[in-house]
């Protein structure tokens, strides 16, 4: 089946540092999404991308939909302690919310 | 609070047993999704319902079944449980299937099979 390769698996950074994580696939996705999961909670949508090449920001978060439609990255600027959590990329081959495929996540730890 | 309610939050049972997980979607959402989250497999799509009808199927085992009722709540039935079925089971909802990928997830039901 389709898979998303998400890297890095984990990151340990100092408060104030910028963070970058990415997701690649061997097949095309028509929608790319980034979710964050806090401990004991379900994933929450951070950013949705619908067009190849699209660059979208949400506060300190910026994400891009790769031109080839096979990759996406998420940047977090000036990290703060509440950025701690697991970040998941997700893609939909058909677009929309059908049969979302999730990456295995990037666990972010921010040291104050 | 996403507005998606899942019960129970925790469930411990034995191999061979059957359990039912329940989900109430956000008010107004017609589509319900079930996902399984385990440490080694990440979030795996199981099944999707839209307005009472099965819409899409993912990696759902034959021992598992689900349905969406007229009031739009959904139940996931897991039977002949095995140790490997221990996982977090998430329900998510959206307004409609093509709603841009914005799924609202519940807090999950943690199933432990002993």
């Amino acid at each position: 089946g389709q898979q998303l390769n998400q890297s890095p698996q984990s990151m340990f950074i100092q408060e104030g540092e910028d963070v970058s994580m990415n997701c690649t696939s061997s097949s095309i996705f028509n929608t790319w999404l980034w979710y964050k999961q806090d401990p004991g909670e379900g994933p929450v949508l951070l950013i949705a991308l619908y067009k190849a090449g699209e660059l979208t920001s949400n506060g300190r978060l910026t994400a891009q939909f790769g031109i080839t439609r096979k990759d996406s990255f998420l940047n977090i600027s000036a990290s703060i302690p509440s950025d701690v959590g697991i970040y998941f990329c997700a893609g939909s081959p058909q677009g929309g919310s059908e049969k979302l495929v999730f990456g295995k996540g990037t666990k972010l730890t921010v040291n104050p | 609070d996403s507005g998606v309610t899942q019960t129970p939050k925790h469930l411990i049972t034995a191999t061979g047993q059957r359990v039912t997980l329940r989900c109430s979607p956000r008010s107004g959402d017609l589509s319900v999704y079930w996902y399984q989250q385990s440490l080694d497999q990440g979030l795996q799509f199981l099944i999707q319902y839209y307005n009472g009808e099965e819409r899409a199927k993912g990696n759902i085992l034959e021992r598992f079944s689900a349905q969406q009722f007229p009031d739009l709540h959904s139940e996931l039935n897991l039977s002949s449980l095995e140790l490997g079925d221990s996982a977090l089971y998430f329900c998510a909802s959206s307004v409609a299937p093509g709603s841009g990928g914005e799924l609202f997830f519940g807090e999950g039901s943690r199933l432990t099979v002993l």
Side-chain angles (χ1 to χ4, degrees), chain A residues 37-105:
Chain A
Q37 186 176 18
D38 291 328
E41 306 281 333
V44 174
L45 182 67
L46 298 174
I47 290 181
L49 302 155
Y50 303 110
K51 290 183 189 175
E54 181 181 354
L55 185 70
T56 297
S57 293
N58 178 7
R60 294 178 297 104
L61 277 59
T62 302
Q64 182 154 31
F65 189 149
I67 288 288
T68 63
R69 291 191 281 160
K70 293 182 179 180
D71 63 332
S72 177
F73 72 73
L74 174 71
N75 288 339
I76 305 173
S77 62
S79 58
I80 58 178
S82 62
D83 290 334
V84 164
I86 303 177
Y87 291 79
F88 292 97
C89 61
S92 172
Q94 293 106 310
S97 48
E98 309 266 47
K99 291 189 177 181
L100 278 184
V101 177
F102 281 80
K104 294 197 174 180

Side-chain angles (χ1 to χ4, degrees), chain A residues 25-44:
Chain A
S25 170
S26 57
S27 51
I28 287 173
F29 286 87
N30 288 315
T31 300
W32 282 91
L33 308 122
W34 287 91
Y35 282 82
K36 182 190 177 201
Q37 186 176 18
D38 291 328
E41 306 281 333
V44 174

